[in-house]
Amino acid sequence: MSFGTTATVTFTTDAYVEPERFIPPYASVMRGHFTPEIEIFRGYWLVSWFKREFAAKEIETAQTLGISAEELLNRRLKEVPAGCEGLIFQPYFTPNTTMPVAKGAVIGFSDVHTRIHIYRAIIEGINFALMDGLKLLEKQSGHKFLEIYVGGGGAQSDEICQITADMFGLPVIRTQTFEVSGIGSAIAAFVGMGEFTDYEEAVGSMVFKKDFFSPDMQQHQIYNTLYEEIFRNIYGRLSPLYQRLNDIYK
């Protein structure tokens, strides 16, 4: 999974698998393979949005401490319990081909909620959408995923990696760098130059497991209930309203 500006879930297979109907997979750099992918267009861009609109305090404090505002915000994720006390965030700030009228939404506000509840709800909302994607890839491909590798800017956060493990109920693995696209490009280049005989050899020499995050299955049960009973139903219930908004503001 990539926790970048666009959040994605993907894998590589030797079978042609459309991640969604009429959406072809990418051709893999590995000959004879494909890379189906589900994208959340406004993934960790939402963290930048939240920081700009709601985190002036953390930005100012971070400048004084010489660290990033994101690091301060991520430290505070532990202040909010799993599920954000009923606050659920739908991260579709930009629609896609299969959900053309989608918009972002937050439901479940009450008087217990704070800015940090909203921040954690964003992280959880991105993951709920990625859970949709992972389950769809499993259904389309027949694969069952047993672990998750993460990269991208959001993967630098131990807190976000642990939340991800808890939500998916799967081990999360972080390699030696969050810049996984750069490593992948270098692997392709070295294989092409003949420095390695194949991709397996290149990966064995250039990719190293660094950090492991084991899921808390009690936390996972909370998330699974929220996913199955709440999150999966939000888009269908709100879709007619999204369509009407589009008609009004087209």
Side-chain angles (χ1 to χ4, degrees):
M1 289 185 184
S2 173
F3 295 158
T5 301
T6 295
T8 64
V9 54
T10 185
F11 76 114
T12 297
T13 175
D14 59 2
Y16 180 89
V17 175
E18 292 184 349
E20 297 180 88
R21 191 179 185 189
F22 304 129
I23 304 296
Y26 292 106
S28 172
V29 69
M30 295 173 60
R31 189 183 304 274
H33 287 70
F34 303 91
T35 306
E37 181 177 80
I38 301 291
E39 301 179 356
I40 313 303
F41 291 139
R42 293 297 192 178
Y44 275 77
W45 171 91
L46 289 164
V47 170
S48 299
W49 170 78
F50 178 88
K51 185 178 71 171
R52 182 180 69 246
E53 301 297 337
F54 302 107
K57 176 181 177 181
E58 284 77 16
I59 292 172
E60 181 179 352
T61 302
Q63 290 174 343
T64 302
L65 297 175
I67 60 177
S68 69
E70 287 85 351
E71 183 174 344
L72 282 181
L73 288 167
N74 292 336
R75 290 177 185 176
R76 299 194 64 187
L77 287 169
K78 295 179 180 179
E79 299 174 13
V80 178
C84 300
E85 299 180 283
L87 195 66
I88 308 295
F89 185 93
Q90 189 182 65
Y92 305 133
F93 277 44
T94 298
N96 62 27
T97 303
T98 56
M99 294 192 300
V101 300
K103 293 186 180 295
V106 190
I107 67 168
F109 270 116
S110 71
D111 57 4
V112 304
H113 291 126
T114 67
R115 288 184 309 120
I116 304 306
H117 281 83
I118 299 172
Y119 182 67
R120 178 159 177 145
I122 288 172
I123 304 301
E124 292 181 351
I126 295 169
N127 274 348
F128 279 135
L130 290 172
M131 287 170 71
D132 268 346
L134 186 71
K135 290 178 183 295
L136 185 58
L137 290 178
E138 287 184 330
K139 178 181 178 181
Q140 294 291 89
S141 68
H143 290 297
K144 184 67 176 178
F145 299 106
L146 303 179
E147 57 188 14
I148 297 169
Y149 284 76
V150 293
Q156 297 175 85
S157 166
D158 289 357
E159 294 84 3
I160 289 175
C161 288
Q162 186 60 56
I163 289 171
T164 302
D166 294 345
M167 292 186 72
F168 283 84
L170 295 172
V172 166
I173 299 168
R174 189 167 57 191
T175 59
Q176 76 272 24
T177 177
F178 69 93
E179 297 286 7
V180 293
S181 295
I183 291 291
S185 298
I187 286 172
F190 281 126
V191 172
M193 293 167 61
E195 295 293 326
F196 298 105
T197 56
D198 54 33
Y199 284 99
E200 287 75 17
E201 182 186 359
V203 168
S205 297
M206 297 180 66
V207 177
F208 306 99
K209 298 178 182 180
K210 181 175 179 288
D211 302 303
F212 295 77
F213 300 86
S214 298
D216 181 326
M217 297 310 288
Q218 289 185 322
Q219 299 285 289
H220 173 64
Q221 188 57 51
I222 295 170
Y223 284 123
N224 193 57
T225 299
L226 290 171
Y227 171 74
E228 293 290 346
E229 298 184 18
I230 306 298
F231 185 84
R232 291 184 64 189
N233 295 312
I234 294 174
Y235 181 75
R237 300 289 181 87
L238 295 184
S239 181
L241 298 180
Y242 295 153
Q243 180 62 65
R244 184 59 186 140
L245 281 172
N246 286 340
D247 291 341
I248 293 169
Y249 286 101
K250 64 182 177 181

